[in-house]
Every structure is written in C-alpha cells, then in structure tokens.
Amino acid sequence: MMKKLLLIFTLLTAVSFAVLGQGSTTASIRGRVTDINKEPLPGATIIALHSPTGVEYGNLADIDGFYRLPNLPVGGPYKITVSYVGFTTQEKENVFLSLGQTFSLNVKLSDEVFELETVVIRAGKGEIIDGNRTGAETSISLENIDATPTLSRSLADFTRFTPQAKVGEGNDGLEISIGGFNPRYNAIYIDGAVNNDVFGLAN
C-alpha cells in the first residue's frame, strides 16, 4: 500500500512540474477599433512594430471592431499603428510588454479631412470648347480627302470618318444613317446650298 501511495505522489509531482514548465513565454495585445461615434471599423489594420528587431506583427479588426495580436515577444519598445481608409491614422509608441501580459488598447479613429486644391481649366488657342455647337461634329481636312481611296467618288467613303455614321446597302444604292436615324432625315449641303437626294445619296 505504501508503495502505491509513493508511486501516485511521484506521478502527481511530475505532472505539476510539467505544467509549471509549460507556462507562457510571450505576451499579447488586444482591443477594439471604433469611430468617434463608437461604431466598429471592421477591417481596420493594426501593426505592432518591435523596434529592437524591426519585426512587424499585424492583424485586422473583425466585424465588431475587435482585434488581437497574440504570441508577441516580451519587452519592447513596441510602436502600434492603427489605420483605416478615410480615417486619421493613430500611433502609440514606447509600449513595453511583460511576460504573460495582455496589453489592452482601444482606439477611436476620426474622419480624415482632405483639403482640395483649386483646379483652373483654360482653353487653348484652338478653342477646345465651343458654346455654339449643338451636337457631335467631324471635320475632314483636304489632306484626309486626298489620302482616302475612293473608287466610286461616293460621299459614303468620307462619312466613314465619323463614328456616328453607318453606311449600308439600300434599295436605291448606298444609304447613310447618322446617329441611328433613317437615311431620309439626312441634310446634305454643298457650298451652303441644300442638295438632298433621299434615294441616291451615293450617286
């Protein structure tokens, strides 16, 4: 009986030493990130920089704004940076962690204010903006006309320069549709005079 008691006591002592030997050798940081209205900021970035080694430990806040940085080396100093898009970044320096400590750091971020610079737009000599124009316009220079191959001397060969034009085959030859409208609505001017040919624009 005495031998059994001695054996049980020895086992309990060994287990006690094993538990003591498995104690914590690190520290951790935890807290919550909110705005000034105490609303959580999920996805906020928390970075803890261990200054002596230059190693960074990071994590993101969860949907309720809580975060945790576990298994951090004891000592310090640490520089903790909390950031979130659209909010002012906050930093806390000279943080030292003790063995087994859970350092608590709650952060409130305020909206970041951007000061926009004045933008001045000036038209060049070419008068980019013309207040007299009422729609899309395409100008074809004499150089473009001379360089464009045309076998039938058709107006359709040159209307293809404008993206709003569509040239297709009709009952009376080529038809030119501008902006998706029926070809009969086209108005053709030659030297300022109306020269509409509804059924033969390509002739």
Side-chain angles (χ1 to χ4, degrees), residues 30 44 70 94 124 170 175 186:
R30 69 179 180 182
N94 297 322
E175 292 184 345
N186 293 333

Side-chain angles (χ1 to χ4, degrees), residues 6-194:
L6 182 61
L7 178 60
I8 293 174
F9 176 77
T10 303
L11 291 175
L12 290 175
T13 303
V15 170
S16 299
F17 277 110
V19 172
L20 291 175
Q22 294 175 1
S24 176
T25 59
T26 60
S28 62
I29 300 174
R30 69 179 180 182
R32 192 178 188 218
V33 184
T34 61
D35 60 12
I36 58 177
N37 297 319
K38 298 183 179 181
E39 293 295 327
L41 297 177
T45 302
I46 302 91
I47 300 293
L49 171 64
H50 188 239
S51 300
T53 60
V55 177
E56 292 184 344
Y57 303 87
N59 206 346
L60 299 177
D62 62 20
I63 192 172
D64 296 316
F66 291 100
Y67 72 91
R68 181 176 175 84
L69 299 176
N71 303 323
L72 300 178
V74 297
Y78 281 90
K79 177 182 177 181
I80 304 174
T81 304
V82 182
S83 61
Y84 192 75
V85 177
F87 289 78
T88 303
T89 300
Q90 283 196 22
E91 296 180 349
K92 185 174 180 61
E93 299 184 357
N94 297 322
V95 175
F96 290 85
L97 303 179
S98 303
L99 183 63
Q101 178 188 11
T102 299
F103 184 82
S104 180
L105 178 63
N106 296 322
V107 180
K108 290 183 180 180
L109 300 181
S110 58
D111 294 341
E112 189 171 10
V113 179
F114 295 94
E115 183 177 352
L116 302 179
E117 298 181 358
T118 303
V119 178
V120 179
I121 301 177
R122 295 187 177 90
K125 295 181 179 179
E127 295 296 334
I128 300 176
I129 301 176
D130 184 358
N132 296 321
R133 288 182 55 178
T134 58
E137 177 181 297
T138 300
S139 298
I140 304 174
S141 65
L142 182 60
E143 290 78 10
N144 292 127
I145 294 175
D146 291 338
T148 301
T150 174
L151 299 178
S152 61
R153 299 176 59 83
S154 170
L155 178 64
D157 293 334
F158 305 103
T159 55
R160 289 188 175 95
F161 279 103
T162 181
Q164 293 85 11
K166 179 181 179 181
V167 180
E169 292 287 345
N171 295 330
D172 300 295
L174 291 178
E175 292 184 345
I176 303 173
S177 173
I178 305 296
F181 284 91
N182 190 297
R184 297 186 180 185
Y185 289 101
N186 293 333
I188 309 299
Y189 293 84
I190 298 178
D191 294 332
V194 178

